[in-house]
Amino acid sequence: MIPNRFRRRLALGAALWVAAAATHAQSRAACPTLLNHRAPRLQDEAVQDLCQYAGQVLLVVNTASFCGFTPQYEAMEALFGRYAQRGFQVLGFPSNDFRQESSDRQKIAELCFNTYGVKFPMFTPIQVRGAKAHPLFQELARAGGEPPRWNFHKYLVDRRGRVVASYPSDVSPLDPRVTARIELLLAEK
């Protein structure tokens, strides 16, 4: 026999769990298809639900440590710093698809966080091209009209989870074409 005081606690705990599960189910249902994926974070490999970025303007970038475009981390961080308070997020996905990324997650993290001072979310290395590409990048390629042709390819995603622009590696994240489009998207509610 369970004493009444424990029954009340169990009932309260069960009610809270049901409410949390319902809230999670609602947020998953409201999540755009593009973001309905998970990816491990670079710093600790904790799996992160990409639905948490629903409703924000996103710049999704495939990155690499040993690429001529690697200094774009600075521009990506500057862009993130400029617009984060307005609902903007940069998401970085290291990839060795072009043979310019370390196989050592710690070395990638050191470069991102210590060398470039990255504060935006970075994820563990994934494939971004072909049949084995992470499902997020399969959808980005389909919606953006092209897979990444090289490292630091950028996809701009609106608040509804739609790809609205795709920029090749040689376009800086601070290029006026990119920032002007971000400004427009941030102005939309």
Side-chain angles (χ1 to χ4, degrees):
M1 182 81 160
I2 300 173
N4 281 341
R5 69 176 191 261
F6 290 126
R7 276 191 216 171
R8 284 190 297 268
R9 287 182 189 164
L10 287 172
L12 179 61
L16 291 173
W17 185 86
V18 169
T23 301
H24 178 71
Q26 286 176 331
S27 68
R28 296 290 299 170
C31 181
T33 303
L34 180 74
L35 298 176
N36 204 353
H37 303 289
R38 297 171 189 262
R41 295 186 312 191
L42 181 60
Q43 65 269 33
D44 59 10
E45 294 188 7
V47 177
Q48 212 164 5
D49 188 343
L50 300 181
C51 287
Q52 76 183 58
Y53 302 109
Q56 297 184 48
V57 175
L58 306 173
L59 188 69
V60 182
V61 185
N62 66 298
T63 65
S65 298
F66 306 111
C67 176
F69 296 109
T70 301
Q72 284 190 16
Y73 274 122
E74 290 174 352
M76 292 161 59
E77 182 59 33
L79 199 63
F80 173 68
R82 182 186 302 176
Y83 296 120
Q85 296 299 318
R86 294 176 55 197
F88 175 76
Q89 195 69 249
V90 175
L91 304 179
F93 290 87
S95 174
N96 194 33
D97 284 14
F98 303 104
R99 312 271 188 264
Q100 294 186 320
E101 186 56 272
S102 174
S103 60
D104 184 334
R105 181 183 59 80
Q106 287 296 90
K107 287 183 180 177
I108 299 168
E110 285 176 26
L111 177 90
C112 293
F113 305 126
N114 297 338
T115 303
Y116 288 102
V118 166
K119 292 178 189 70
F120 57 83
M122 289 292 300
F123 298 90
T124 59
I126 61 168
Q127 287 187 264
V128 297
R129 294 176 54 85
K132 292 185 179 181
H134 188 280
L136 170 65
F137 273 83
Q138 289 179 5
E139 291 185 38
L140 288 167
R142 182 187 49 72
E146 63 182 335
R149 292 188 182 146
W150 198 247
N151 301 308
F152 291 87
H153 189 96
K154 299 149 207 73
Y155 295 97
L156 188 58
V157 179
D158 70 8
R159 292 183 190 274
R160 287 180 228 113
R162 298 177 304 189
V163 176
V164 296
S166 177
Y167 302 100
S169 306
D170 61 348
V171 175
S172 167
L174 294 174
D175 184 291
R177 293 171 289 181
V178 178
T179 57
R181 192 70 185 268
I182 290 170
E183 289 278 353
L184 288 173
L185 294 172
L186 289 172
E188 295 175 1
K189 295 292 175 186

